[in-house]
């Protein structure tokens, strides 16, 4: 069902096929037509062809969406790792996204499985240096990192601009679906240009 809402043309064709089929069926039932059986067969052929078209289109779009690879995040374990990664990204003039996550966090898992791999988000994330701090172990290094970054909830997504300056207003705590997160990334791109 999500595929239909992501591709308006498929939704439009589906609605047209349904309306065409319903209209034809209504016409056959309410008008005295000789050879109703032939019209019913014709309607069946139309519905069948529309179904085949929709099925093949949906399968093609599913294959295309799988071709876009999920973004790869670089794991960081400490404040020193973060500072090195930020310096490297700044030298390349790339913005940074840091995902502070935990294995037990359901919204964090949803980001990894649904939001980051979605085609329009993955395309936007390609411009970023992507970092991940998994603080599940709750080690002293994890606690120091969370304290320095002021992480009080999960997931927390932190952003830095092309020059290595933290974009505090871009911070995200909690879950956003793919379309909202894509819009958030778009707004960040507008601010850093």
């Amino acid at each position: 069902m999500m595929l239909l809402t992501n591709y308006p043309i498929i939704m439009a064709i589906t609605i047209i096929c349904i309306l065409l089929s319903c209209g034809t069926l209504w016409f056959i039932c309410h008008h005295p037509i000789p050879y109703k059986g032939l019209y019913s067969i014709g309607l069946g052929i139309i519905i069948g062809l529309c179904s085949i078209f929709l099925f093949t289109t949906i399968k093609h779009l599913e294959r295309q969406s799988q071709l876009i690879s999920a973004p790869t995040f670089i794991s960081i374990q400490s404040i020193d790792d973060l500072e090195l990664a930020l310096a490297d990204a700044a030298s390349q003039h790339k913005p940074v996204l840091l995902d502070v996550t935990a294995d037990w966090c359901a919204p964090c898992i949803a980001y990894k499985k649904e939001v980051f791999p979605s085609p329009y988000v993955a395309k936007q994330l390609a411009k970023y240096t992507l970092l991940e701090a998994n603080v599940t172990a709750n080690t002293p290094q994890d606690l120091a990192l969370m304290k320095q970054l002021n992480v009080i909830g999960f997931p927390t997504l932190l952003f830095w601009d092309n020059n290595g300056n933290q974009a505090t207003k871009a911070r995200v705590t909690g879950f956003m679906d793919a379309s909202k997160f894509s819009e958030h990334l778009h707004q960040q791109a507008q601010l850093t240009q």
Side-chain angles (χ1 to χ4, degrees):
M1 190 62 172
M2 185 176 140
L3 190 62
L4 290 179
T5 57
N6 285 346
Y7 297 97
I9 190 72
I10 292 178
M11 192 178 326
I13 292 171
T14 303
I15 291 170
I16 289 170
C17 289
I18 290 170
L19 291 175
L20 179 65
S21 300
C22 290
T24 306
L25 190 59
W26 177 86
F27 185 80
I28 290 171
C29 292
H30 287 87
H31 291 83
I33 302 173
Y35 312 113
K36 273 191 181 182
L38 291 176
Y39 286 104
S40 298
I41 291 170
L43 178 62
I45 290 171
I46 290 171
I47 292 172
L49 290 174
C50 290
S51 299
I52 291 169
F53 170 77
L54 289 173
F55 178 77
T56 55
T57 304
I58 288 170
K59 286 298 179 188
H60 172 71
L61 292 173
E62 283 176 350
R63 273 187 249 113
Q64 269 188 327
S65 69
Q66 291 171 353
L67 293 177
I68 297 172
S69 61
T72 304
F73 284 74
I74 301 166
S75 178
I76 62 163
Q77 306 296 323
S78 66
I79 295 169
D80 292 337
D81 290 349
L82 175 62
E83 289 174 355
L84 284 171
L86 291 174
D88 186 43
S91 71
Q92 298 175 29
H93 298 290
K94 286 183 74 175
V96 174
L97 166 63
L98 170 62
D99 177 17
V100 183
T101 184
D103 292 343
W104 49 262
C105 168
C108 301
I109 295 167
Y111 267 116
K112 287 178 191 165
K113 290 189 176 187
E114 298 170 19
V115 177
F116 297 148
S118 70
Y120 38 96
V121 172
K123 185 176 179 182
Q124 290 172 295
L125 289 178
K127 301 171 188 162
Y128 285 81
T129 296
L130 302 171
L131 307 175
E132 178 183 75
N134 189 326
V135 295
T136 304
N138 216 20
T139 65
Q141 288 178 324
D142 293 342
L143 296 174
L145 183 65
M146 289 190 300
K147 184 177 180 181
Q148 177 159 335
L149 297 173
N150 195 27
V151 174
I152 55 173
F154 298 102
T156 297
L157 304 174
L158 303 164
F159 294 85
W160 283 263
D161 66 14
N162 298 345
N163 300 316
N165 302 314
Q166 189 171 5
T168 53
K169 292 183 180 182
R171 179 187 196 109
V172 174
T173 301
F175 184 74
M176 286 183 178
D177 65 19
S179 62
K180 287 181 183 174
F181 188 65
S182 177
E183 180 60 32
H184 183 74
L185 290 173
H186 180 71
Q187 289 172 355
Q188 290 316 115
Q190 296 290 330
L191 293 175
T192 58
Q193 287 180 353

